[in-house]
Amino acid sequence: MVTSADIARAVGAAIAEAATTLRPDVVAAMRSAAATEPSPRGREILEQLLLNAEIAHRDRVPLCQDTGTVWVWVELGSNECVGGDLQAAVDDAVAEAYRSNALRMSVARDALGDRSNTSTNAPAFVDVTLRPGSGATVHVMLKGGGSDNASALAMLDPGAGAEGIRRFVLDAVESRATGACPPLVVGVGVGGTFDSVGKLAKKALLRPLDVQAATPAAAALEEALLAGINALGIGPAGLGGRTTALGVRVLTAPCHIAALPVAVNMGCSAVRSVTVEVA
């Protein structure tokens, strides 16, 4: 049986790993980009980012000073019945992980009424969904303010189709990418409802850059978007070049016949996510 304590332990370990170790697929994509980037300045920035990742991993120090908010997605086996207060257990694990790893606390108590720091980096933002079987898959993402602030959402007319989605995403990247610390991984959610399409876009960022899209339509959109984004000339750190994005990840879902929800969630040059299987 999976318990709240099991999930909390997985979250704590994942935070320490994600904060200091750039995902291997992102490292590989950045190395490839550094070898082909035509802009000397852009190439130098990519090489500096790779060096930063090497130092962070070697010395176990944060990849970025903005160590983010903690998003936890638990895919819980339908045979499980988690006992205890999951939110409280995860929040305790977050507080301990941020304290023991000397990570910056970035959570305000209330967005409107009390902007003081919680001083624990809790609460974590926890989503739980069910999947068949036993055990749990725990995804942990540390999301910095710059990249999350660059998010965008639209309820398009269904007639907009793939071209409307492409234009919306390109407009969002062109207007907001610089503040999101490129080179980016761009997560795109298509479908669902107003309240769920943003989660689709964030979940899309979890798929490694060397793993293909689930459908030919999603793969074709990813390819078209990546080409369009890298033709914008924004480049690494927004200082010009071809490598504005390392990849685009598209995740789709059913939706109402009268709707075409689209959301963009940008992952910065330090995409920080770890997935842990809990038996």
Side-chain angles (χ1 to χ4, degrees), residues 17 23 32 85 116 181 218-219 229 258 265-266:
E17 179 70 12
R23 277 178 13 192
S32 178
D85 188 332
S116 64
C181 301
I229 290 168
N265 190 245
M266 299 185 201

Side-chain angles (χ1 to χ4, degrees), residues 161-247:
E163 177 57 23
I165 295 169
R166 189 188 70 86
R167 288 199 304 269
F168 174 73
V169 175
L170 288 178
D171 287 347
V173 173
E174 186 169 26
S175 62
R176 305 167 190 232
T178 301
C181 301
L184 311 168
V185 178
V186 181
V188 180
V190 181
T193 59
F194 171 81
D195 57 301
S196 65
V197 69
K199 290 182 181 180
L200 279 179
K202 188 163 282 188
K203 289 175 180 178
L205 294 174
L206 296 172
R207 176 159 54 91
L209 294 173
D210 53 0
V211 175
Q212 294 296 312
T215 67
L221 181 57
E222 288 178 359
E223 184 178 349
L225 285 171
L226 183 60
I229 290 168
N230 285 338
L232 295 173
I234 296 169
L239 297 176
R242 186 172 64 192
T243 315
T244 302
L246 299 172

Side-chain angles (χ1 to χ4, degrees), residues 81-174:
C81 183
V82 174
D85 188 332
L86 178 60
Q87 182 71 54
V90 168
D91 285 349
D92 287 345
V94 168
E96 173 57 25
Y98 271 71
R99 184 198 62 77
S100 61
N101 292 282
L103 306 180
R104 195 186 84 181
M105 314 295 185
S106 301
V107 176
R109 294 183 186 279
D110 183 81
L112 179 62
D114 183 357
R115 298 287 303 191
S116 64
N117 199 301
T118 65
S119 300
T120 62
N121 218 58
F125 299 91
V126 181
D127 290 320
V128 180
T129 59
L130 296 179
R131 61 164 172 77
S134 302
T137 303
V138 181
H139 308 278
V140 177
M141 182 181 291
L142 310 185
K143 205 65 167 63
S147 61
D148 238 22
N149 286 347
S151 302
L153 188 153
M155 303 298 287
L156 300 181
D157 184 275
E163 177 57 23
I165 295 169
R166 189 188 70 86
R167 288 199 304 269
F168 174 73
V169 175
L170 288 178
D171 287 347
V173 173
E174 186 169 26

